[in-house]
Amino acid sequence: DIRRAVDQLPGRYGELIKRYFFAEHTLEEIAADWGRTRQAVHLMLHRALKFVRERIRQQEEHTFCHTPA
């Protein structure tokens, strides 16, 4: 579940994902609010998405391994 993976993100990564994808804020808006550059926020977004992908992959493996045949 994507929302569960986002909720497990460390630090501001979860907030970033929620603001960018769910609240549709731009990277520029988020960067201005946080006092960071657009590039820094873009890098954070890249790292956050990598973490989410890994969590979802782990959840799928766990579900696959624990599903009765």
Side-chain angles (χ1 to χ4, degrees), residues 7-69:
D7 288 340
Q8 294 174 351
L9 288 168
R12 288 188 128 174
Y13 292 115
E15 180 184 352
L16 174 57
I17 292 282
K18 290 172 187 174
R19 288 186 66 182
Y20 186 74
F21 289 104
F22 304 141
E24 299 182 6
H25 293 171
T26 66
L27 292 178
E28 291 80 6
E29 291 170 331
I30 298 167
D33 289 348
W34 291 356
R36 306 196 82 176
T37 66
R38 182 195 180 283
Q39 291 170 321
V41 173
H42 185 264
L43 180 59
M44 286 180 68
L45 181 61
H46 175 75
R47 290 177 179 158
L49 291 172
K50 182 177 177 182
F51 184 88
V52 168
R53 282 191 295 271
E54 178 63 22
R55 285 293 175 157
I56 290 171
R57 186 186 63 75
Q58 290 173 355
Q59 290 172 5
E60 288 173 350
E61 286 178 359
H62 182 268
T63 300
F64 178 75
C65 291
H66 293 91
T67 302

